[in-house]
mmCIF file of all heavy atoms in Angstrom:
data_model
loop_
_atom_site.group_PDB
_atom_site.id
_atom_site.type_symbol
_atom_site.label_atom_id
_atom_site.label_comp_id
_atom_site.label_asym_id
_atom_site.label_seq_id
_atom_site.Cartn_x
_atom_site.Cartn_y
_atom_site.Cartn_z
ATOM 1 N N HIS A 14 104.733 84.569 113.049
ATOM 2 C CA HIS A 14 104.762 85.871 112.407
ATOM 3 C C HIS A 14 103.944 86.847 113.167
ATOM 4 O O HIS A 14 102.939 86.471 113.784
ATOM 5 C CB HIS A 14 104.221 85.732 110.964
ATOM 6 C CG HIS A 14 104.932 86.606 109.990
ATOM 7 N ND1 HIS A 14 104.286 87.556 109.259
ATOM 8 C CD2 HIS A 14 106.240 86.696 109.646
ATOM 9 C CE1 HIS A 14 105.136 88.172 108.462
ATOM 10 N NE2 HIS A 14 106.287 87.680 108.696
ATOM 11 N N VAL A 51 125.661 140.763 89.769
ATOM 12 C CA VAL A 51 124.594 141.708 89.305
ATOM 13 C C VAL A 51 124.538 141.613 87.803
ATOM 14 O O VAL A 51 125.407 141.046 87.140
ATOM 15 C CB VAL A 51 124.940 143.188 89.751
ATOM 16 C CG1 VAL A 51 124.920 143.275 91.257
ATOM 17 C CG2 VAL A 51 126.299 143.593 89.195
ATOM 18 N N THR A 61 134.856 133.505 87.861
ATOM 19 C CA THR A 61 135.537 133.523 89.147
ATOM 20 C C THR A 61 134.603 133.222 90.313
ATOM 21 O O THR A 61 134.900 132.411 91.207
ATOM 22 C CB THR A 61 136.197 134.893 89.357
ATOM 23 O OG1 THR A 61 137.159 135.164 88.352
ATOM 24 C CG2 THR A 61 136.891 134.954 90.721
ATOM 25 N N PRO A 80 116.867 138.231 94.124
ATOM 26 C CA PRO A 80 117.266 137.402 92.945
ATOM 27 C C PRO A 80 116.311 137.705 91.788
ATOM 28 O O PRO A 80 115.101 137.704 91.925
ATOM 29 C CB PRO A 80 117.031 135.990 93.444
ATOM 30 C CG PRO A 80 117.005 136.058 94.945
ATOM 31 C CD PRO A 80 116.400 137.395 95.275
ATOM 32 N N ASP A 88 125.645 127.741 80.896
ATOM 33 C CA ASP A 88 125.533 129.011 80.143
ATOM 34 C C ASP A 88 126.907 129.642 79.893
ATOM 35 O O ASP A 88 127.189 130.144 78.804
ATOM 36 C CB ASP A 88 124.646 130.004 80.892
ATOM 37 C CG ASP A 88 123.248 129.511 81.114
ATOM 38 O OD1 ASP A 88 122.702 128.827 80.231
ATOM 39 O OD2 ASP A 88 122.676 129.843 82.183
ATOM 40 N N THR A 114 115.542 134.014 83.520
ATOM 41 C CA THR A 114 114.696 134.806 84.388
ATOM 42 C C THR A 114 113.236 134.472 84.152
ATOM 43 O O THR A 114 112.889 134.082 83.015
ATOM 44 C CB THR A 114 115.011 136.326 84.152
ATOM 45 O OG1 THR A 114 114.315 137.114 85.119
ATOM 46 C CG2 THR A 114 114.610 136.742 82.770
ATOM 47 N N PRO A 115 112.376 134.609 85.116
ATOM 48 C CA PRO A 115 112.655 135.011 86.514
ATOM 49 C C PRO A 115 113.307 133.877 87.285
ATOM 50 O O PRO A 115 113.227 132.723 86.894
ATOM 51 C CB PRO A 115 111.265 135.335 87.078
ATOM 52 C CG PRO A 115 110.337 134.420 86.294
ATOM 53 C CD PRO A 115 110.917 134.394 84.890
ATOM 54 N N LEU A 158 119.416 119.323 99.895
ATOM 55 C CA LEU A 158 118.085 118.690 100.041
ATOM 56 C C LEU A 158 118.232 117.219 100.467
ATOM 57 O O LEU A 158 117.538 116.731 101.373
ATOM 58 C CB LEU A 158 117.338 118.758 98.707
ATOM 59 C CG LEU A 158 116.913 120.168 98.251
ATOM 60 C CD1 LEU A 158 116.400 120.140 96.847
ATOM 61 C CD2 LEU A 158 115.867 120.734 99.196
ATOM 62 N N LEU A 176 113.193 102.844 121.061
ATOM 63 C CA LEU A 176 111.964 102.295 121.583
ATOM 64 C C LEU A 176 112.106 100.764 121.652
ATOM 65 O O LEU A 176 111.667 100.166 122.621
ATOM 66 C CB LEU A 176 110.812 102.641 120.655
ATOM 67 C CG LEU A 176 110.339 104.112 120.703
ATOM 68 C CD1 LEU A 176 109.324 104.366 119.577
ATOM 69 C CD2 LEU A 176 109.722 104.445 122.046
ATOM 70 N N SER A 187 119.737 91.134 119.388
ATOM 71 C CA SER A 187 120.521 90.577 118.257
ATOM 72 C C SER A 187 119.631 90.318 117.036
ATOM 73 O O SER A 187 120.144 90.207 115.928
ATOM 74 C CB SER A 187 121.207 89.299 118.665
ATOM 75 O OG SER A 187 120.274 88.285 119.057
ATOM 76 N N GLY A 222 107.214 112.094 112.437
ATOM 77 C CA GLY A 222 107.814 111.992 111.109
ATOM 78 C C GLY A 222 107.562 110.693 110.415
ATOM 79 O O GLY A 222 107.828 110.580 109.223
ATOM 80 N N HIS A 229 107.689 93.190 110.346
ATOM 81 C CA HIS A 229 108.080 91.817 110.156
ATOM 82 C C HIS A 229 108.541 91.164 111.481
ATOM 83 O O HIS A 229 109.454 90.366 111.510
ATOM 84 C CB HIS A 229 109.196 91.708 109.140
ATOM 85 C CG HIS A 229 108.814 92.127 107.736
ATOM 86 N ND1 HIS A 229 107.818 91.456 107.040
ATOM 87 C CD2 HIS A 229 109.234 93.136 106.949
ATOM 88 C CE1 HIS A 229 107.650 92.032 105.861
ATOM 89 N NE2 HIS A 229 108.499 93.066 105.786
#
Side-chain angles (χ1 to χ4, degrees):
H14 216 240
V51 296
T61 299
D88 298 325
T114 189
L158 294 170
L176 288 172
S187 61
H229 293 300

